[in-house]
């Protein structure tokens, strides 16, 4: 029998894993997994600054700030790449480590003013989901606040994907063609990056800045091995996300460790199982595409 | 100030060790990072860095203490496994390398965090300090640990020195290295091993999460200053060492200042400075070059125009007012005046009561531009089959860039023509 | 050797394109007739793909302008279709042939609208035209190179455009596909569509095309195949390297030279 607390934790985990996974489908198909990784690190200073400015966990400011800093990160990476002629992977590495370092320093510096610490950065506070209740002005207890935040972001992400499905698909599959038929690849690129940033921030409190990457990448990668249909891939990603949350929780309880760490571990386990059973069998001649941002890369004939 | 003297005078023996250690750790990881950077495997290093965490934790769980030899062994094993898995996943399935990197990085780190929290909850008294693997703790590096990690760093530097030639060839041109019979597989294995070791050493200074900065940023910064791999490696090592030193100093002097992030801040600062200010490759240099080119074009256009006016009047040394110039070609006024003044200062123009006259040198220079313009127009029509009414715009640019050598070849190629496609005379300087 | 036409479907005026400040196409000036099957021919690195990308505004050009149907691209985008090189996409993408062909309808559909039944029927019809209707539900990763090319072609057809640009549609396809494609292109041109194809196989040029462009960093010739595809002009296209030109190009990249001064002045 599941306790109410366990249920709330698993629910929170799922609410975080689903939007991450859905956006992750597009990230990995765009070969932008590492840009996602970079953004998830880079939003840290934004979160701390938002904390300092608003003095509380005012989610709205934070989500807005995160969207901006995520776009800023992508912009910075592209700036170094284009203006400085720095190779993309190095541009990613330089940018996110710098921003993350700022974040950690700010946390240490303002430890007494910010309700954040390194542990939270690393593995979140999903175990304490039920401690912080959302109370309305007349004192009614509405349930854990995190659930509302994560739920709202999930909703936003679903709406975003439903509304922009066509454009996301075509700019992902064939950005050159998308531009040719008049769909702005840059616009959808930045919208996706903003969505990734917002989702990272919403997930941050629960699972920490780094493990959120596991949720962005592992479930979609697993689903990608299982199907060759994008819609099925997204459904599978959702299912795997929920399974990761469920099994991760019990693994953490069993071993007495961090839930977020256990979730990432389970995400890896699911991938491993699928990889061993179907991944290798479906190997094909694949042109290995280099790590490139999905810009319209001019190619000489 | 006293702190500064304390720190750098090495009076305190533990500080001395720390400084020496940090210098070794940072420079050796930066050197290895240069190779991974050049091989475009920078983010793989990031994955390895995250992946050593479970190894460290497992080693601690098995050994029950923080013996650095065990921890290094553990880190080495999981670091290696992560690299193997990234390769296998991207080679054996349709999953691309960047996804494989992100997957392994986050999952291994997750396992590491799980193990770390299990250790913390187990109440083992020895465990305090394991956390330092996350964000580094160079300032607390003492005694035996220092010997072990410093030893590994020395091994790294020695190996790189021994195999320098082969490793540079491998990163520069793998196909060529293979063709001359170098054992490419073995060398790649070596480089991979060095990367793992560099990570193991480097995380002492900056920790797992920020390790990528040490592998990537010094090399990226160095790249802006040089094209020579030896210089680049030396610079990367230097940048790494300086940031290690300053970062450690900051956390030594101020409380609550984490070493790793500060080292990263310093090295990032060095990198950004390089991006913007490095000669030749820096962004500012490029911008200035644009401005210089624009000024040069502007000045040459003025001389060209005065020459053409002289050509029409059959007298090159007539004084002209600004409006004489602008009626012929609508220069923006500010640029025109700026150009005129520069030309006067350089001795190409004379000015008297706002009347401007070419000097002899000015006439020659204007004449050359006119000649290059007309030669290029002729080249375009004769060799590129471009219609005579379309060649002017192109020549407007090219006239400013042709070097004397290209000029001579152009003359020769066109056999010293006397007129351009518009039947204007091509002036030679007899 | 550059033949100009009245009422051109495509007019290019003084187009210069650079990559990284290095000019790769110099002063292209041409007009093309409507309803013809047109080949762009030239050696590797001649700028063939660059030319059609610049026409489609997929890469910026330094100077000049392009007019399609006597209009700017934005106004007539719906009448133009573009087929990129097959290698430019990752065929492991989780989609079926039909999904890809449906993308041809996205331009017309606009934001927020899902493909309707009618769009699906158009897509199916286009798959039939390229002989791929039996593979509609097949995942694109499981198609052969030739079949993938046909899917790309069907996607272009689904746009129901009047002018088509195709980047190397015959590259790496089997003989059967090549025949299907050329038959299709012929029937399209018979219906009055204009098809412009980047082509690298000199053997088939006279059989395939009505009109040909010879390109090598600059436009060498443009005209009906019979009068343009001559030994002499081919010699000029493929032989005789313009070393001076490429040295100037390299110098421009090295010095970071702008290709055009912004101001226009009349002199010389």
């Amino acid at each position: 029998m599941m306790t109410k607390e366990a249920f709330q934790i698993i629910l929170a985990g799922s609410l975080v894993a689903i939007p991450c996974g859905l956006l992750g489908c597009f990230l990995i198909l765009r070969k932008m997994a590492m840009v996602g990784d970079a953004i998830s690190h880079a939003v840290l200073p934004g979160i701390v600054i938002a904390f300092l400015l608003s003095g509380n966990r005012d989610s709205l400011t934070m989500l807005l700030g995160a969207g901006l800093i995520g776009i800023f990160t992508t912009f910075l990476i592209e700036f170094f790449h284009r203006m400085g002629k720095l190779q993309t992977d190095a541009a990613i590495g330089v940018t996110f480590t710098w921003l993350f370092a700022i974040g950690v320093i700010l946390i240490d510096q303002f430890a007494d003013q910010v309700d954040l610490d390194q542990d939270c950065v690393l593995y979140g506070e999903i175990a304490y989901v039920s401690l912080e209740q959302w109370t309305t002005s007349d004192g009614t207890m509405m349930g854990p606040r995190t659930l509302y935040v994560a739920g709202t972001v999930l909703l936003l992400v679903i709406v975003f994907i439903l509304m922009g499905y066509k454009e996301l698909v075509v700019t992902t599959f064939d950005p050159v063609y998308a531009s040719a038929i008049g769909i702005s690849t840059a616009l959808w690129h930045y919208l996706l990056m903003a969505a990734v940033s917002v989702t990272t921030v919403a997930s941050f409190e629960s699972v920490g800045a780094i493990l959120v990457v596991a949720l962005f990448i592992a479930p979609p990668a697993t689903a990608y091995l299982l199907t060759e249909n994008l819609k099925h891939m997204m459904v599978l990603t959702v299912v795997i996300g929920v399974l990761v949350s469920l099994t991760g929780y019990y693994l953490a309880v069993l071993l007495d460790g961090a839930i977020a760490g256990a979730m990432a571990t389970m995400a890896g386990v699911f991938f491993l199982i699928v990889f061993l059973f179907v991944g290798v069998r479906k190997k094909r001649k694949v042109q290995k595409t280099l790590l490139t941002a999905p810009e319209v890369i001019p190619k000489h004939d | 100030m006293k702190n500064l003297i304390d720190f750098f005078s090495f009076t305190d023996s533990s500080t001395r060790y720390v400084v020496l250690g940090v210098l070794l750790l940072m420079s050796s990881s930066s050197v290895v990072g240069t190779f991974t950077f050049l091989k475009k495997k920078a983010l793989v290093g990031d994955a390895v860095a995250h992946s050593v965490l479970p190894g460290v934790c497992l080693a601690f769980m098995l050994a029950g203490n923080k013996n650095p030899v065990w921890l290094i062994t553990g880190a080495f094993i999981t670091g290696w496994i992560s690299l193997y898995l990234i390769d296998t996943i991207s080679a054996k399935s349709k999953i691309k390398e960047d996804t494989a990197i992100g997957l392994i990085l986050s999952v291994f780190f997750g396992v590491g965090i799980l193990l770390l929290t299990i250790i913390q909850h187990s109440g083992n008294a020895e465990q305090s300090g394991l956390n330092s693997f996350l964000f580094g703790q160079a300032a607390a590096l003492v005694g035996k640990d220092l010997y072990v990690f410093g030893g590994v760093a020395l091994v790294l530097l020695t190996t790189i020195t021994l195999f320098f030639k082969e490793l540079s060839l491998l990163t520069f041109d793998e196909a060529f290295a293979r063709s001359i019979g170098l054992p490419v597989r073995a060398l790649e294995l070596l480089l991979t091993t060095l990367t793992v070791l560099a990570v193991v050493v480097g995380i002492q200074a900056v920790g797992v999460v920020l390790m990528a900065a040490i592998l990537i940023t010094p090399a990226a910064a160095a790249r802006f200053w040089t094209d020579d791999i030896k210089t680049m490696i030396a610079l990367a090592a230097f940048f790494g060492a300086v940031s290690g030193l300053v970062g450690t100093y900051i956390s030594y002097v101020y409380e609550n200042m984490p070493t790793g992030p500060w080292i990263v801040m310093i090295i990032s600062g060095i990198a950004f400075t390089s991006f913007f200010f490095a000669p030749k490759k820096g962004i500012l240099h490029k911008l200035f070059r644009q401005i210089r080119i624009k000024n040069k074009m502007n000045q040459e256009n003025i001389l060209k125009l005065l020459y053409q006016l002289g050509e029409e009047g059959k007298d090159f040394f007539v004084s002209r007012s600004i409006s004489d110039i602008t009626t012929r070609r609508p220069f923006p006024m500010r640029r025109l005046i700026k150009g005129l003044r520069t030309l006067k200062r350089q001795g190409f123009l004379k000015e008297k009561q706002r009347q401007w006259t070419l000097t002899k040198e000015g006439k020659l220079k204007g004449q050359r531009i006119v000649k290059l313009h007309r030669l290029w127009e002729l080249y375009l029509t004769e060799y590129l089959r471009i219609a005579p009414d379309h060649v002017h715009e192109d020549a407007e640019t090219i006239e400013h860039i042709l070097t004397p050598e290209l000029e001579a070849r152009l003359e020769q190629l066109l056999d010293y023509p006397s007129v351009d496609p518009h039947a204007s005379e091509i002036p030679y300087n007899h | 050797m550059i033949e100009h036409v009245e009422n051109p479907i495509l007019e290019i005026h003084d187009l210069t394109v650079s990559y990284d400040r290095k000019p790769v196409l110099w002063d292209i000036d041409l007009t093309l007739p409507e309803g013809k099957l047109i080949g762009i021919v030239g050696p590797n690195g001649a700028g063939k793909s660059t030319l059609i990308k610049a026409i489609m505004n997929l890469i910026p050009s330094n100077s000049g302008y392009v007019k399609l149907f006597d209009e700017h691209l934005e106004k007539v985008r719906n009448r133009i279709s573009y087929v990129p090189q097959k290698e430019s996409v990752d065929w492991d993408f989780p989609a079926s042939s039909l999904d890809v062909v449906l993308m041809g309808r996205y331009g017309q559909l606009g934001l927020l609208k899902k493909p309707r039944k009618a769009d699906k029927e158009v897509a199916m019809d286009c798959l039939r035209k390229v002989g791929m209707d039996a593979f509609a539900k097949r995942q694109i990763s499981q198609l052969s190179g030739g079949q993938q090319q046909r899917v790309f072609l069907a996607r272009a057809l689904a746009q129901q455009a009047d002018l088509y640009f195709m980047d190397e549609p015959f590259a790496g396809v089997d003989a059967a596909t090549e025949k299907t494609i050329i038959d299709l292109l012929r029937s399209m041109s018979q219906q009055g569509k204009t098809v412009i194809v980047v082509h690298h196989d000199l053997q088939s040029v006279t059989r395939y095309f009505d009109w040909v462009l010879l390109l090598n960093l600059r436009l060498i010739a443009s005209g009906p195949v019979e009068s343009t595809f001559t030994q002499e002009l081919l010699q000029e296209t493929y032989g005789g390297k313009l070393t001076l030109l490429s040295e100037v190009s390299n110098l421009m990249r090295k010095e970071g030279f702008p290709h055009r001064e912004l101001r226009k002045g009349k002199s010389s």
Side-chain angles (χ1 to χ4, degrees), chain B residues 269-320:
Chain B
I270 294 176
F272 295 151
T273 314
S274 308
F275 296 169
F276 284 102
F277 302 109
K280 291 203 181 121
K281 296 185 180 195
I283 292 169
L284 276 187
H285 174 85
K286 286 180 191 158
L287 287 180
F288 280 134
R289 194 171 59 181
Q290 290 299 309
I291 294 172
R292 259 204 324 275
I293 289 174
K294 262 178 109 175
N295 287 339
K296 175 177 177 255
M297 284 182 158
N298 184 46
Q299 291 154 19
E300 291 184 347
N301 284 336
I302 294 171
L303 292 178
K304 181 175 74 171
L305 187 84
L306 288 172
Y307 179 87
Q308 286 166 337
L309 288 172
E311 214 176 25
E312 285 160 18
K314 307 235 188 290
D315 179 2
F316 293 104
F317 304 106
V318 177
S319 298
R320 315 234 180 231

Side-chain angles (χ1 to χ4, degrees), chain A residues 93-94 96-97, chain B residues 42-43 45-47 49-50 199 203 206-218 264:
Chain A
V94 171
F96 87 81
T97 50
Chain B
L43 292 174
D46 189 26
H50 284 75
V199 165
I203 56 173
V206 297
V208 163
V209 186
L210 291 170
M211 184 56 213
I214 306 313
L215 288 175
I216 300 170
T217 316
V264 174

Side-chain angles (χ1 to χ4, degrees), chain A residues 53-110:
Chain A
L53 290 181
S54 65
N56 59 40
R57 301 194 176 198
D58 173 8
S59 309
L60 195 66
T61 339
M62 216 177 267
L63 292 183
L64 277 176
L68 288 178
I69 203 157
I71 290 179
F72 171 71
T73 309
T74 345
F75 174 78
L76 210 58
I77 292 172
E78 270 160 43
F79 175 77
F80 289 143
H81 177 56
R82 279 167 195 257
M83 289 293 288
K85 299 266 179 289
L86 193 60
Q87 62 205 45
T88 314
D89 59 344
I92 292 175
V94 171
T95 310
F96 87 81
T97 50
W98 173 59
L99 287 166
F100 191 75
I102 295 180
V104 177
I105 290 172
L106 286 176
I107 288 180
D108 281 6
Q109 201 52 28
F110 299 101

